Amino acid sequence: MPQPQPMVAPEQMYADLNRQECHNSLREGVMAQRQRAAEAARGKWNATQKETVPPDQPVNYLEQPSPANPEVTARQYNRKLYDHWISTWLKNAALNYASFPFAQADRCQNCGKTVPGAAYINGVQQLMLTEHGPCVIAGAGPSLDRNLKDLLKCDPIPPVFCSISNLRPFLAHGIKPAYVMAYDAGHGLARYIIDPPGMVEKTADLHLIAATTTSPELLAMWRGRITWFNCYDDSGGDYFWFLTHALPIFFPNVGTLPNTGCVLTAQMMMAAHLGYKPLLLVGADLSYPDMVSRCTDYKPVKGQWVAVPPPPERIPPKQLLVDYKGIKTRGTDMNYKAGLENRVEVLRREGAMVYNCSGSGIVEIQNCSIKEALSYGINS
């Protein structure tokens, strides 16, 4: 049985590794491999084709004014966010590194240095294109209350991909998600598992897809299967280097996911990576109808699920509240909207359709009901 590696400070993890030597297009290689597999699955790949990958996003997307703060570009806005989170990512990665199931020590193929773990036991790379058919991608917006009722009318209920923050509403309605995503690095994420007594035990038969930088407290409490992934970002700077280059050295061969900043978008991209299509968005409001931003929550009390209505949203004074086509939302959610719609276009070019079945909100992609989207999937 592999022994956990001793915990080391993040700066010691990669202080002696040459960045250039160790990472000769690591991310590009992973993306090219994924693209070839997707093309092969659709019977379109020809070995004589030039090995190129469509761009992850339009060239000018990051250079446009940020919807969250039009005074700066999206790239500059993202840099500010990453400056805020880098210390948390470093701490979480160090703690998670200590408990990872390494296979064995091996040498870096690029520089020859000994690095821990030729492979991991559970990484999303192993799950690539293992699923098929439609999948529900669940946000935690107010529309999820209505969407859950519509899902219960489906026979069968399609696989559900939710997050930690909206897991309890699905369990309360008797719907077991196929996958649960832990994407955020904040330590408050664990409260959704630790707060209600008995919730930890309910994770025993649930499959968690977790970022290597996510909350160690949450991961320590999870009783079910955990599959890992690294985030990457290629926009420049030390924090981008940490995501794109350092993480693959110390958590190799687990697979990658673009750092989208929004767990809803991350779930959508991961579901496409697994092979699901079409993708049905529910609870994807990204807005504040009646100043409420979340769905009804639930807590187990004496063996029964008890509804906990969401309180009115308290918008921090520094948050920009805007009116978008008569709908109240935050500047931050406008940023999420732009990123989500951008990734939808990427998936569309790769052959995966995405439908917004929320019934409300500001996301402007093809809108339809859950029933209609499922019929499109059958006929496509």
Side-chain angles (χ1 to χ4, degrees), residues 2-134:
Q3 295 299 314
Q5 301 295 308
M7 186 175 70
V8 295
E11 58 270 18
Q12 293 175 341
M13 284 186 183
Y14 52 88
D16 64 336
L17 294 177
N18 183 293
R19 300 182 184 187
Q20 190 63 38
E21 290 180 334
C22 287
H23 290 284
N24 183 15
S25 302
L26 266 179
R27 183 184 71 81
E28 288 79 0
V30 171
M31 293 300 292
Q33 180 183 4
R34 172 187 167 184
Q35 179 69 12
R36 286 196 297 272
E39 295 285 355
R42 294 194 292 267
K44 297 180 180 179
W45 176 253
N46 185 318
T48 62
Q49 288 182 280
K50 185 178 179 180
E51 296 190 5
T52 58
V53 182
D56 292 332
Q57 53 193 16
V59 175
N60 64 350
Y61 170 69
L62 289 174
E63 308 308 328
Q64 297 298 314
S66 168
N69 183 358
E71 296 180 1
V72 300
T73 66
R75 185 187 301 277
Q76 292 168 330
Y77 181 81
N78 289 347
R79 279 182 176 279
K80 184 178 179 180
L81 287 179
Y82 295 160
D83 278 338
H84 173 77
W85 281 106
I86 184 61
S87 61
T88 302
W89 289 339
L90 285 167
K91 292 176 183 177
N92 288 357
L95 291 170
N96 292 336
Y97 173 78
S99 60
F100 262 62
F102 292 99
Q104 61 183 6
D106 203 354
R107 291 187 177 277
C108 175
Q109 295 180 356
N110 292 323
C111 69
K113 293 182 181 292
T114 299
V115 293
Y120 286 117
I121 296 174
N122 290 312
V124 296
Q125 194 67 13
Q126 299 170 343
L127 298 178
M128 183 172 63
L129 300 177
T130 58
E131 304 284 6
H132 65 278

Side-chain angles (χ1 to χ4, degrees), residues 92-93 96 99-101 120 122-125 127 161-164 179-185 189 206-220 222 224-231 247 251 254-257 263 266-267 270 274:
N92 288 357
N96 292 336
S99 60
F100 262 62
Y120 286 117
N122 290 312
V124 296
Q125 194 67 13
L127 298 178
F161 206 134
C162 73
S163 68
I164 293 294
Y179 297 96
V180 183
M181 175 166 280
Y183 182 73
D184 297 335
L189 198 64
L206 296 174
H207 190 165
L208 184 70
I209 305 289
T212 54
T213 53
T214 201
S215 165
E217 291 91 340
L218 169 69
L219 301 178
W222 195 265
R225 178 181 176 184
I226 300 178
T227 300
W228 310 89
F229 70 92
N230 288 324
C231 286
L247 284 181
F251 307 113
V254 297
T256 59
L257 184 73
V263 66
Q267 291 168 210
M270 186 61 72
L274 298 178

Side-chain angles (χ1 to χ4, degrees), residues 169-180:
F170 280 97
L171 296 181
H173 284 78
I175 300 175
K176 176 185 173 183
Y179 297 96
V180 183

